[in-house]
Amino acid sequence: VDAGCGFGIHREVFLETTAPACVSEIFARGDLAGGDAKIIVEMDSKSAGDVAFDVEILPENFAGRAFSATAKRTIRAGAGREEFTVPAPDAKRWEPDAPCLYRCRVKMRDGERLLDARDVLFGFRTFEIVSAANARPGLPAGMFLLNGQPVFLRGTDVSPSMNAFAYWHQDDKLLDAEIGRAHV
């Protein structure tokens, strides 16, 4: 056996202890048309039992209204998934020039005892692609829509100059880089 093959753990390792039930992932999506937020919580539990989920939708980078809901659920042992809807009737829309973000905080409780909590950031926005099944008058198939409006995207490889100028905060040179006149 060749013990010097270079495989194995090469960096710092630590063990993390958790409660008997823990939140592993959160997927949050704002639905402005429905006036609510759809939340999917993935979790892991040592045993089956009744728990409460407190779901909060908190303004992150702007002053605005918060939304919340609490639900009691019976979870099973092992990996599981729960879905929640939190009413958010006047949530602010995420726009490129006003990127209003919300923090979705999910707390899992066993009675009054907090088992686990996790946060994720998200925005209330919609994405669509114009297609034969999703036709829009006057817009070509393949057009990307953000919040129902056409959006033109640039790839990261359009101009290396753009990435450098953005990194160096030289915004005045971005337009020149976009049309190919600037060189780094």
Side-chain angles (χ1 to χ4, degrees), residues 35 44 54 56 84 137 161 172:
D44 194 10
D54 299 323
E56 299 174 286
F84 305 94
S161 305
D172 58 314

Side-chain angles (χ1 to χ4, degrees), residues 121-153:
L121 294 176
F122 75 104
F124 280 79
R125 57 190 173 188
T126 61
F127 301 102
E128 299 174 71
I129 300 287
V130 176
S131 65
N134 184 32
R136 295 289 180 98
L139 297 178
M143 172 65 72
F144 182 75
L145 305 177
L146 170 64
N147 297 330
Q149 300 299 314
V151 172
F152 298 92
L153 301 175

